[in-house]
Amino acid sequence: MAAFTLHGRDNDSNMCGSCDSLLEEVQDIPICSVCGYKTELYFINSLFRVKKREYDLSATYDGYNIASLKFKETCQRLQLGGLEFLALPSDSEFFVIKPTSITSFDSASRKTKFESFCTACGFHKAVAGAIPAILLKEPESDLSGTDVVFGSGNSRGRMIIATERAKKLLIAEKLAGLEFEVTINLGQADTKMLRR
């Protein structure tokens, strides 16, 4: 079974800040008392608004996958499971994507690099080596997130994985900003980029 990583274009936005610093105006961000980085992957800044609004799937600089209302409604209509869409209090046209289904990433075969594990919060300071993705098993739902959290410092997130069925259905909808890349899965080795 083919699987794909699903990426969105940069939306020129930051939810909470950058890798090394957080926005001063954002209140109550959970911070690790040991490493000093944000501990909640899906913490939502109540003031956040998407800057580049033309994409149905996009990404913030600090690791959040953002869906348009059209993307959310498309997934619901096509019954593409595996994602939760978290509302943005200041931007009703967009949502934070939170995977509810998790797919195992083969970090050993991919030679993913893990830096400085924090025993207090359970995150690494940095995790690099995501593309091309190598999966340990087939995804259990049409859309899912990797069990490995990639990025560094306050800019971390899960990659989104799509099945072949999900990819075909989403491409047919002509949604803006979606990019698919074939994963290496169950002995496959084709990593050609497929863009839409």
Side-chain angles (χ1 to χ4, degrees), residues 6-193:
L6 172 56
H7 309 275
R9 306 276 174 87
D10 288 338
N11 60 26
D12 196 28
S13 306
N14 288 292
M15 177 69 70
C16 297
S18 67
C19 171
D20 295 318
S21 64
L22 295 169
L23 298 171
E24 290 182 12
E25 65 269 21
V26 183
Q27 301 297 312
D28 302 321
I29 300 175
I31 305 290
C32 178
S33 60
V34 175
C35 68
Y37 293 115
K38 180 170 70 83
T39 59
E40 173 54 53
L41 290 178
Y42 303 103
F43 175 86
I44 293 178
N45 169 3
S46 62
L47 304 174
F48 176 81
R49 287 185 56 82
V50 176
K51 289 183 181 176
K52 284 188 179 176
R53 306 178 68 80
E54 65 266 31
Y55 301 130
D56 293 305
L57 180 65
S58 63
T60 67
Y61 294 131
D62 54 341
Y64 286 77
N65 291 300
I66 305 293
S68 68
L69 178 59
K70 182 179 178 182
F71 184 94
K72 175 191 173 187
E73 290 177 342
T74 297
C75 289
Q76 292 171 338
R77 178 171 45 82
L78 298 175
Q79 298 182 338
L80 297 175
L83 302 179
E84 180 180 358
F85 297 90
L86 306 178
L88 294 170
S90 295
D91 201 338
S92 61
E93 295 178 34
F94 291 90
F95 301 82
V96 169
I97 293 175
K98 179 180 180 180
T100 55
S101 179
I102 300 297
T103 298
S104 297
F105 186 89
D106 188 350
S107 55
S109 296
R110 181 58 187 84
K111 297 182 180 174
T112 301
K113 295 180 181 177
F114 296 86
E115 179 184 332
S116 302
F117 180 73
C118 178
T119 56
C121 66
F123 286 106
H124 289 84
K125 180 179 179 182
V127 179
I131 303 295
I134 301 176
L135 304 179
L136 285 171
K137 62 177 185 175
E138 294 179 4
E140 294 180 3
S141 63
D142 291 307
L143 298 166
S144 60
T146 55
D147 59 344
V148 175
V149 175
F150 296 94
S152 61
N154 299 307
S155 302
R156 298 183 281 220
R158 300 182 190 280
M159 280 197 307
I160 300 174
I161 304 296
T163 62
E164 189 166 12
R165 173 182 179 270
K167 173 183 165 278
K168 286 179 181 177
L169 290 171
L170 290 171
I171 286 176
E173 294 292 320
K174 300 186 182 342
L175 297 168
L178 281 65
E179 297 180 354
F180 296 89
E181 182 176 348
V182 178
T183 65
I184 299 172
N185 184 24
L186 305 177
Q188 298 176 5
D190 182 7
T191 58
K192 182 175 72 174
M193 280 294 288

